[in-house]
Amino acid sequence: MAIAFVITGADIWIFNRIVKRRDAKRIAEAQEDPGKRLRLRISRINQAFAEAASLMDELQHDLEAQQAAREMLLAEAQRQQKLLEFNEGQAEKIRQILVGETEEVIRTERRQQWLFFTLGVLISIPIGVAINLLVP
């Protein structure tokens, strides 16, 4: 299987334009003063280094800001941890107080129930005897 290419006059014209532009650029570069060209390249290199130094300064500032934020977060985390430990201690004390109060309330209610039971027994006996004496 053979592949055939058809070259038209427009293709040749476009090819010639590309070659002429490339050749014109090469000629312009060859005619340019080598010293001027070297100075231009050195200038570009200096600009690149200046930009790199500027970017390094920005990165350094960003890094310092992130470090400061990190230190603030660590300090806040330590403060929160201390508060948590303090609150755990306080919570345990409160729990002990509530348990103590609950036990005391339970004891008081038991005493009250025994008192009512005893009073009920003590009052019902004389009433029962009185009823037996009064009713024929």
Side-chain angles (χ1 to χ4, degrees):
M1 190 172 0
I3 299 176
F5 290 103
V6 177
I7 298 176
T8 63
D11 294 333
I12 294 172
W13 181 79
I14 291 172
F15 178 75
N16 283 334
R17 295 273 299 173
I18 292 172
V19 169
K20 284 181 182 179
R21 282 185 190 165
R22 188 187 68 201
D23 290 345
K25 185 177 178 183
R26 284 184 178 173
I27 290 171
E29 287 176 358
Q31 289 176 348
E32 188 177 357
D33 181 25
K36 182 179 177 184
R37 206 162 139 202
L38 181 62
R39 282 190 295 277
L40 180 63
R41 287 182 175 174
I42 291 172
S43 172
R44 288 180 183 164
I45 290 172
N46 287 337
Q47 287 175 350
F49 277 125
E51 186 177 343
S54 173
L55 289 173
M56 288 296 289
D57 287 341
E58 288 178 22
L59 287 173
Q60 183 67 29
H61 291 301
D62 289 346
L63 184 62
E64 289 171 358
Q66 288 178 359
Q67 184 69 20
R70 179 183 161 274
E71 289 172 2
M72 282 182 14
L73 287 173
L74 286 175
E76 180 65 20
Q78 288 175 349
R79 187 179 76 79
Q80 291 292 333
Q81 185 64 32
K82 286 179 184 177
L83 282 174
L84 181 62
E85 290 170 2
F86 176 73
N87 287 339
E88 284 177 355
Q90 290 293 76
E92 181 61 28
K93 288 178 184 176
I94 291 170
R95 188 190 68 76
Q96 289 174 355
I97 290 170
L98 290 175
V99 166
E101 287 179 357
T102 304
E103 289 173 354
E104 185 178 329
V105 167
I106 290 171
R107 273 187 254 124
T108 304
E109 287 177 354
R110 268 195 205 135
R111 271 188 252 127
Q112 190 177 30
Q113 289 172 0
W114 279 108
L115 176 67
F116 287 143
F117 176 74
T118 307
L119 287 174
V121 168
L122 291 176
I123 291 175
S124 65
I125 292 175
I127 292 174
V129 170
I131 289 175
N132 285 334
L133 291 176
L134 295 174
V135 175

